[in-house]
Amino acid sequence: MEPSPAAPPSTVAADEGDLLRRVRHHDLAAGDELVRRYHGRIYNLLYHMTSNREDAEDLTQDVFVKALSALHRFRGGSTFYTWLYRIALNHGINFLKKRGRREMMSLDGLDPAVEHDPFYVELRARESPVREASLGELQIRLNAALRKLSDKHRTVVVLHDIQGLPHEEIARMIRTSEGTVRSRLFYARRQLQQALKEFAP
Amino acid sequence: MKCPLGKEMYGLPETDPRYAEVQAHLRSCFMCRARWDDQEAVRQLIALKRYEQPAPGCEARTLAAIHTRVAAQWAAAGWWQDAQARWYAERFEPVRLALAAAAVLLLLGGGYYLVRPSGSSSPARPAPALALEDQRPLPHPDSPAPAATGLPPMLVAASNREPVRMDYGPGPSVPVKYDY
Ligand SMILES: [Zn+2]
């Protein structure tokens, strides 16, 4: 089954306001519920930003601890989801600046469902190096290419191409225009195409 | 439509008013079409990364760690608030008590002024310092004693329409702030 991209949680239960109010009153059960709701998206964001699962796990913890402790500073000017993503992005990018590019990759496992992905099936059917490459090799190449991008270009690729967020939502998160988001995406994909030229047409 | 298409035109959503025009251009321009297809192919290739999934147990582990850290932070915050409250109580309770005692004394003193027998002469007291325009000639020793307390009348604005004259007496309590 194809994992669905992380769409903005319009379907999130309407009781989120109540949940946030309870967290502000230091209700731990409400805090757990909030973490459960957003853990997957935040972990994935940080994993794709760092290509390192241990770092992503540590950063995810830090982001939620920071968000839950600073919830009184969330004034509702954006959705909680956007606010949380901003904290995660700031935290992740600060971490990457300190870490540099020396850190080894430490990759998550691939869902076997990838073998049935229509694009992957088509790629393998072509006369392309994908036919010869193992899934593991492809995964390493994708991560290595993504790590070569600048932080701002990797950010839009992760948010749009991997997590499936619309340009409009990304523009709000990183406080820029939709046009700038699309320009960055265009440039980042050109870079990725260079780095992955034997896989990408 | 400008050719080649601007970078910000790639991936334009269908809801954008320029979308139809861009699509029409792509049907007629081989170069822009090829760039568009390249962009789409890279997007789909990198999107394969979404099949990378955290190991089982990652969520439960993270949830437990966050729970522990947040609980410790909130407990520390609660302890800090309690400690602050205790510190304020120890520091300012004597001041508060002294102020309360002073207020009671003032009230009692003011009450005595009101209920003392009329006609009795005022005890000798130093005249209050008055502004120049308030300095009136002292009354003749033979003139009748003033009916009220002997202090100059004070203007108190009871409403913003008509100033009301009020003699000195027990005044309203002055609110004291304790939120230092
Ligand atoms: Zn063109």
Side-chain angles (χ1 to χ4, degrees):
Chain A
M1 192 192 70
E2 184 180 322
S4 58
S10 53
T11 50
V12 161
D15 64 347
E16 185 157 283
D18 180 53
L19 208 54
L20 295 174
R21 201 163 35 249
R22 282 167 57 203
V23 175
R24 283 194 189 99
H25 288 93
H26 293 186
D27 179 337
L28 276 168
D32 289 348
E33 175 55 29
L34 214 51
V35 176
R36 225 174 271 120
R37 246 176 221 197
Y38 294 105
H39 170 267
R41 291 188 187 93
I42 297 299
Y43 172 85
N44 280 328
L45 168 69
L46 293 164
Y47 168 75
H48 295 305
M49 289 296 288
T50 58
S51 291
N52 187 299
R53 57 185 179 185
E54 289 82 16
D55 290 342
E57 202 169 318
D58 290 348
L59 288 168
T60 303
Q61 273 189 37
D62 294 344
V63 166
F64 278 106
V65 170
K66 200 169 182 174
L68 294 181
S69 326
L71 201 57
H72 57 280
R73 281 158 60 190
F74 169 60
R75 302 272 177 226
S78 62
T79 61
F80 172 72
Y81 169 75
T82 301
W83 184 74
L84 185 64
Y85 252 76
R86 274 192 203 130
I87 295 178
L89 281 170
N90 285 338
H91 208 65
I93 289 170
N94 281 341
F95 169 82
L96 288 170
K97 282 196 199 326
K98 279 184 218 146
R99 186 189 82 172
R101 295 178 197 278
R102 296 178 308 278
E103 189 79 20
M104 298 285 286
M105 286 195 287
S106 162
L107 303 180
D108 274 336
L110 269 177
D111 185 333
V114 66
E115 305 220 36
H116 306 292
D117 179 274
F119 181 76
Y120 181 71
V121 170
E122 188 199 319
L123 213 57
R124 274 188 71 91
R126 278 190 220 152
E127 281 297 327
S128 80
V130 174
R131 192 202 283 265
E132 309 303 326
S134 69
L135 261 175
E137 278 173 68
L138 178 63
Q139 188 190 4
I140 290 169
R141 291 296 306 278
L142 292 179
N143 280 281
L146 195 59
R147 283 178 71 153
K148 281 190 188 154
L149 298 180
S150 70
D151 293 334
K152 69 179 184 185
H153 288 104
R154 192 185 315 108
T155 299
V156 291
V157 169
V158 169
L159 293 175
H160 185 272
D161 291 353
I162 304 176
Q163 295 209 298
L165 297 182
H167 301 143
E168 189 191 0
E169 183 81 30
I170 298 169
R172 259 201 302 274
M173 273 172 192
I174 61 175
R175 294 192 168 100
T176 189
S177 68
E178 287 182 53
T180 302
V181 171
R182 282 195 290 273
S183 293
R184 284 184 190 172
L185 273 171
F186 180 88
Y187 181 79
R189 290 184 193 138
R190 290 283 285 259
Q191 302 248 86
L192 289 170
Q193 191 184 11
Q194 278 297 309
L196 296 162
K197 52 179 174 280
E198 66 266 48
F199 298 109
Chain B
M1 178 108 309
K2 199 181 101 190
C3 180
L5 287 174
K7 294 192 283 284
E8 71 287 353
M9 293 295 172
Y10 287 83
L12 216 54
E14 286 179 34
T15 49
D16 193 288
R18 295 165 294 179
Y19 181 79
E21 205 184 341
V22 168
Q23 291 302 313
H25 180 76
L26 290 175
R27 280 192 292 274
S28 63
C29 176
F30 176 79
M31 186 185 70
C32 289
R33 179 83 242 173
R35 283 174 101 183
W36 185 282
D37 291 343
D38 284 355
Q39 286 276 312
E40 185 54 20
V42 174
R43 185 190 70 75
Q44 292 194 55
L45 185 62
I46 204 74
L48 292 175
K49 262 180 71 59
R50 71 189 187 280
Y51 287 98
E52 291 175 315
Q53 293 294 317
C58 169
E59 180 172 338
R61 199 165 48 238
T62 308
L63 195 81
I66 294 167
H67 183 102
T68 308
R69 285 175 63 184
V70 171
Q73 273 201 8
W74 285 351
W79 176 87
W80 176 240
Q81 278 163 6
D82 291 349
Q84 274 181 316
R86 271 198 306 278
W87 187 83
Y88 279 121
E90 283 162 14
R91 275 269 163 121
F92 294 107
E93 202 50 36
V95 178
R96 201 189 295 244
L97 285 173
L99 284 171
V104 168
L105 282 175
L106 272 171
L107 271 171
L108 287 176
Y112 170 73
Y113 262 120
L114 282 181
V115 300
R116 71 185 173 154
S118 60
S120 68
S121 60
S122 303
R125 52 157 63 213
L130 296 174
L132 269 177
E133 59 270 28
D134 285 332
Q135 289 183 2
R136 282 160 275 183
L138 286 170
H140 193 270
D142 295 337
S143 63
T149 57
L151 286 167
M154 188 175 78
L155 280 176
V156 174
S159 75
N160 53 10
R161 276 177 294 156
E162 197 66 43
V164 173
R165 228 164 246 279
M166 188 179 117
D167 290 334
Y168 278 105
S173 62
V174 179
V176 180
K177 278 189 167 184
Y178 290 105
D179 51 338
Y180 300 98

